[in-house]
Amino acid sequence: MLEENTDSKKTESSLKSPQGGALNFSFPKKEKLTNKKLFEALFTEGKSLREFPLKLIYLKTDFKEKVPIKVAVVAPKKKFKTAVQRNRIKRLLREAYRLNKPLIFNNIEGNYAFIFLYLGKKTPSFDEVDSAMKKLLGTFLNKEFHEKID
RNA sequence: UUAGCAGGCCACCUUAUCGCUGCAAGUAUGGGCAACCGUGCUUGGAGAGGAAAGUCCGGACACCAAAGUGCAGCAUAGCGGGUAACGCCCGUCCGCCGUGAGGCGAGGACCAGUGCAACAGAAAGCAAGUACAGUUCGGCUGUAGUGAAAUCGGCAAACUCUAUGCGGUGAAACGCCAUGUAAACCAACGUUUGAGGGUUGCACGCCCGAGUUGGAGGGUAGGCGGUUGGAACACUUGGGUAACCAUUUGUCUAGAUAAAUGAUAAGGAUAUACAGAAUCCGGCUUAUGGCCUGCUUUUAAU
RNA sequence: GGCCGCGUGGCGCAACUGAAUAGCGCAUCUGAUUACGGCUCAGAAGGUUGCAGGUUUGAAUCCUGCCGCGGUCA
């Protein structure tokens, strides 16, 4: 089932998938993580993966909304003092996630909450964030998804 | 052109694709007698700043069931004007700085009272008195020496006085809805002869008042309104030295809530400073790229 | 978003009612003592008082503006 989906990513059949479509690059409000309790749970119980300059904290949960993943993005205030820098980083992370969504959206079962942390010291370019995001999502899939199959 | 002074303006732009947040219209669907409301899709149009910042002043607005009186406290300080108001702005006098264009100034009062003055110096504020000279011979006058200041005063960004102003708390204000033990249990005090609470730091006064406080144990920390049309912006004419005021016509110009402006490609120039609204305005201060205009000096370099 | 508080040698503090030399403890360095080290004793170095202005004869202290850090709220 899942392998078929990855193979037929760019075909028309996957566009009609009930989960929102493989080529759906949208990032609506539903897919944002807003619950305070979930945040706390993530920081205490969540597992983490690193791919410099990014860090992913994730946790398997259930939501009321029919969305597979909820995502939040963090830029630390200690390293980046101005709001402009923090906004810039958060926008880049969000954009990178949005464009790489199809990598994981069709290969996942259940609900996950994600937090992306930025660990670098300087404001990055989009290419850096994008490549790191791709690697990070790949390792996430390998860990969670293949371990379960085995 | 370089240096300096003052004032004003702009804040990379255009197109395409993908994406985000409100608004309007249409449409599908669910609910409702209906008005409408929720969700999805499509189209159209809008979407951070000159400082949005610091939170340093001044207001609007909201609440405090008296928001009252007195004391305390705080702020301002030539004079005149502007303003909703101000510690802001304009004009002007004076003082200081600069060759100059110009800039800066908490700039009332020590003949109301209290206080302060290290070192040096004979003496630093009930006075006392060195040396020399002069002399109308009166411990009268001058000079020297110390010091910021020597019988003349100085210092109120010393207490203070004078004049004027200020009630307090800030959108996490405040109103409504939802959720949930729970009109649960134990102890103390009390029900008009009043426990306790509210009311500005204190006192008085005033108001509310049948519950309040503590223990043990537990619940929610969500949604809607406030929330963007305003001391608004642009322009016409008139008044005023100016700040500004009056007036004509026109425009609608962000409303997020883990928090909306980004990515990619192409072109103009190849590079883009400081920096992100959070209730809203008027200022001040600080950060910062570039352009334009007028003026100043020696006429120094071309 | 609002409201408070604090900045003094490397660290923790004092001097804040203006007075010329900014003090104390720990740590550091040098010497003495010891076979060596510690303890102890003697001595030394280390400060733009967070920064910049102002008032004053004189500022860590008073005033103004910045910078940094911390706390608090329904």
Side-chain angles (χ1 to χ4, degrees):
Chain A
M1 286 284 288
L2 291 160
E3 285 179 355
E4 282 179 17
N5 271 346
T6 46
D7 290 339
S8 61
K9 218 192 248 174
K10 291 169 186 174
T11 59
E12 287 186 356
S13 60
S14 63
L15 280 171
K16 295 173 184 173
S17 71
Q19 285 287 326
L23 289 180
N24 184 5
F25 292 110
S26 70
F27 186 47
K29 206 171 173 181
K30 276 184 182 178
E31 294 181 20
K32 290 178 184 172
L33 183 56
T34 57
N35 193 305
K36 269 189 181 179
K37 282 184 177 177
L38 252 181
F39 263 88
E40 289 172 13
L42 265 166
F43 280 114
T44 53
E45 301 168 23
K47 301 173 183 176
S48 65
L49 291 173
R50 283 194 185 203
E51 182 62 50
F52 192 82
L54 300 182
K55 182 180 183 181
L56 168 66
I57 301 176
Y58 64 93
L59 189 68
K60 190 169 185 178
T61 45
D62 293 314
F63 328 118
K64 297 171 185 174
E65 292 92 342
K66 291 183 177 178
V67 180
I69 301 176
K70 281 200 166 205
V71 177
V73 155
V74 172
K77 197 174 186 178
K78 280 192 178 179
K79 288 179 184 173
F80 303 96
K81 289 182 179 177
T82 65
V84 170
Q85 281 181 302
R86 293 195 297 274
N87 278 347
R88 170 80 183 164
I89 289 165
K90 283 155 76 176
R91 281 165 188 164
L92 286 176
L93 290 182
R94 235 178 268 140
E95 184 70 9
Y97 170 74
R98 183 178 73 81
L99 294 175
N100 291 312
K101 259 172 75 178
L103 276 177
I104 56 166
F105 239 60
N106 297 319
N107 303 329
I108 268 185
E109 287 183 342
N111 292 342
Y112 281 90
F114 280 12
I115 294 180
F116 288 102
L117 286 164
Y118 183 75
L119 302 174
K121 290 177 182 175
K122 292 182 179 178
T123 48
S125 68
F126 177 74
D127 289 335
E128 293 176 69
V129 176
D130 189 53
S131 60
M133 178 66 73
K134 280 175 180 166
K135 286 183 188 174
L136 195 59
L137 293 179
T139 51
F140 168 75
L141 280 177
N142 280 333
K143 257 207 167 182
E144 283 297 303
F145 176 63
H146 285 300
E147 280 177 2
K148 278 183 182 175
I149 281 184
D150 294 341

